[in-house]
Amino acid sequence: MDKTLAPSAGTARLEVVDALRGFALMAIVLLHSMEHYNLFFTPTWQPQWLTDFDGYFTSFIWFLLAGKAYATFSLLFGFSFYIQLRNARRRGEDFRLRFAWRLLLLAGFAQLHALFYNGDILLFYAVCGLILIPASSWSDRTILIVASVLLLQPVDWIHMATTLIDPGYVDTNSRFIQFAAQAEAVCRDGNLWQTLADNIGNGQLYSNFWQVEAGRICQTPALFLLGMWLGRKEMFIRSHASRRFWRRVLACALPAVVVLQVLKDTIAPGLDNVTWQSHFGIALGLPGNFALMASLVALFVLCWFRAGDHGYRFQRLSIRYGRMSLTNYITQSIIGVVLFYNFGLGLFRYCGPTLSAAIGLGIILVQVAWSRAWLSTHRQGPLEALWKKLTWLRSSRTAPSPAR
């Protein structure tokens, strides 16, 4: 049975979650810009000092943010489902079938997004999100067990174990490459219509094959489940129990980051089996990413709690940005591909990682300003409002207040 939350507690929870989601989206924009939105290219005009700096800068940003921003975004997706489910249950309604319809709508938004960017995650979310429907009736213990098993990347361990039974078994975990090569060529040389046509077909295959082979087929539903569990336990509401929980997360996750990284760096170079080479880095790398993500989330939440119910000012800067996460996620891709792809300004030819990160920061600043202006006169972002309206289509009652 859910506890009844005081209005102030509910507001604080949504604010810290929106702020955290906003920061995760900012990191995603930064990473996408450094990758030229999946158009990988190293300019040759740069001076040597800038090229050297690019190497250090990329290594640092990739270690700190790559995979962690996505994981945070996924965690909060599961949390949002819990809030919507809880609110519906308090009204005596069953939200599960409507959530399935909501996921189908998300798949529709994914097609819009995939037209422009061949790294879409929304379709993958729409499929993986289905696990939340049956899981909503699971016990807390069952949720933690299933999520823990998935986080250990069982698919990759099964591939590696198969080689012990059948020495002739080979899996290079690289089916996505055939689609990636064509997608990159079109983005590098194609016009607008060629790019749009390739993205909606070949680009979707590239994106989703990569996500499956990169281990997200296990990680994403696990994070959705953990986000729902955090909602049940009210861990984004400031209390003695929640502060103690996040301190324990920090105390356990940081050593895990070190141990997993050392194991990966020590064992991986000595592997001579191609299947183990293809899967071992994922089997240890994604749990390592999860541990670092958990550390960063714990630090963010503990800082928020330390400042009170409304966080520090620097944290609050991302609240409105996070409230418009769907709108900002799709529009940042449209802006980015126009800046970097051949049909637009073609900046991929001239900008290395550092300059591209500066462009990404510019995209973020523009979107933050737009989010503040839009939400000063509207309750939700434009795509969020459309998603909400369509979610409650043909409902006999007025749609509830947004809970994302």
Side-chain angles (χ1 to χ4, degrees):
M1 179 70 69
D2 294 327
K3 298 177 182 178
T4 301
L5 305 180
S8 59
T11 301
R13 174 166 69 170
L14 290 177
E15 283 189 341
V16 66
V17 168
D18 282 335
L20 185 56
R21 185 186 291 112
F23 270 104
L25 182 54
M26 289 177 183
I28 288 172
V29 175
L30 193 68
L31 291 166
H32 285 179
S33 296
M34 292 175 67
E35 295 174 332
H36 303 146
Y37 289 80
N38 280 353
L39 183 47
F40 301 96
F41 184 86
T42 302
T44 57
W45 68 267
Q46 294 186 156
Q48 188 60 44
W49 68 266
L50 183 54
T51 300
D52 293 340
F53 182 79
D54 278 346
Y56 296 118
F57 180 71
T58 300
S59 296
F60 172 74
I61 294 297
W62 246 247
F63 173 77
L64 187 66
L65 301 179
K68 294 80 177 177
Y70 169 87
T72 304
F73 215 62
S74 302
L75 189 77
L76 299 181
F77 184 90
F79 173 82
S80 294
F81 165 76
Y82 166 76
I83 294 296
Q84 294 163 339
L85 180 72
R86 181 204 64 181
N87 291 345
R89 283 179 174 173
R90 287 179 174 177
R91 298 188 302 269
E93 300 175 1
D94 189 343
F95 183 70
R96 289 174 296 181
L97 285 179
R98 198 164 291 275
F99 181 70
W101 166 242
R102 186 172 173 84
L103 291 176
L104 184 61
L105 293 172
L106 184 63
F109 284 116
Q111 303 316 302
L112 168 65
H113 185 229
L115 269 175
F116 298 92
Y117 175 46
N118 55 39
D120 170 71
I121 64 170
L122 299 180
L123 182 60
F124 197 67
Y125 270 30
V127 174
C128 291
L130 292 170
I131 194 175
L132 291 169
I133 297 174
S136 64
S137 61
W138 295 352
S139 68
D140 293 342
R141 184 171 180 269
T142 300
I143 288 173
L144 289 179
I145 290 173
V146 173
S148 298
V149 170
L150 290 173
L151 285 174
L152 293 175
Q153 298 302 128
V155 171
D156 293 285
W157 288 108
I158 289 171
H159 279 293
M160 290 186 286
T162 303
T163 65
L164 303 178
I165 301 170
D166 178 9
Y169 177 77
V170 174
D171 185 271
T172 59
N173 208 32
S174 57
R175 295 170 186 83
F176 74 94
I177 290 179
Q178 59 180 312
F179 308 111
Q182 179 181 332
E184 189 170 345
V186 173
C187 296
R188 183 181 61 245
D189 302 316
N191 59 34
L192 173 61
W193 303 115
Q194 290 169 332
T195 302
L196 297 181
D198 185 74
N199 278 348
I200 199 62
N202 182 68
Q204 283 274 47
L205 292 171
Y206 166 30
S207 174
N208 289 290
F209 265 101
W210 179 84
Q211 292 188 87
V212 170
E213 294 183 321
R216 289 183 175 181
I217 191 65
C218 291
Q219 185 195 52
T220 304
L223 291 166
F224 288 175
L225 292 173
L226 289 177
M228 181 172 66
W229 182 87
L230 289 172
R232 286 186 180 185
K233 295 301 183 181
E234 300 180 355
M235 288 305 168
F236 289 112
I237 297 175
R238 188 163 67 101
S239 66
H240 176 71
S242 61
R243 288 195 295 267
R244 181 175 57 190
F245 169 78
W246 290 114
R247 290 191 191 107
R248 288 177 177 176
V249 168
L250 196 59
C252 295
L254 280 177
V257 173
V258 177
V259 171
L260 290 169
Q261 189 66 43
V262 169
L263 286 174
K264 180 182 174 183
D265 292 345
T266 302
I267 299 175
L271 298 175
D272 55 7
N273 182 285
V274 67
T275 303
W276 277 71
Q277 290 172 350
S278 302
H279 290 275
F280 185 78
I282 295 172
L284 261 65
L286 263 66
N289 281 349
F290 169 77
L292 184 51
M293 179 277 294
S295 302
L296 294 173
V297 170
L299 279 172
F300 187 94
V301 176
L302 286 170
C303 285
W304 185 282
F305 288 166
R306 183 179 178 84
D309 286 336
H310 302 292
Y312 287 105
R313 185 171 181 178
F314 80 91
Q315 294 177 303
R316 294 184 59 79
L317 292 174
S318 65
I319 290 177
R320 294 188 178 184
Y321 191 64
R323 282 179 58 191
M324 287 178 48
S325 58
L326 178 63
T327 298
N328 285 326
Y329 176 67
I330 291 178
T331 55
Q332 60 87 24
S333 293
I334 296 173
I335 296 170
V337 299
V338 169
L339 292 175
F340 287 107
Y341 283 13
N342 183 70
F343 75 79
L345 298 182
L347 295 181
F348 78 93
R349 297 183 178 90
Y350 314 106
C351 299
T354 304
L355 293 177
S356 297
I359 292 172
L361 180 60
I363 295 173
I364 292 169
L365 292 175
V366 169
Q367 288 195 308
V368 167
W370 179 49
S371 299
R372 289 174 62 88
W374 181 272
L375 292 177
S376 66
T377 56
H378 299 78
R379 296 185 65 184
Q380 289 181 289
L383 294 185
E384 285 78 10
L386 178 61
W387 196 15
K388 171 186 170 183
K389 183 174 182 179
L390 293 176
T391 295
W392 296 97
L393 197 64
R394 296 190 177 183
S395 173
S396 59
R397 60 178 306 280
T398 303
S401 299
R404 292 189 75 252

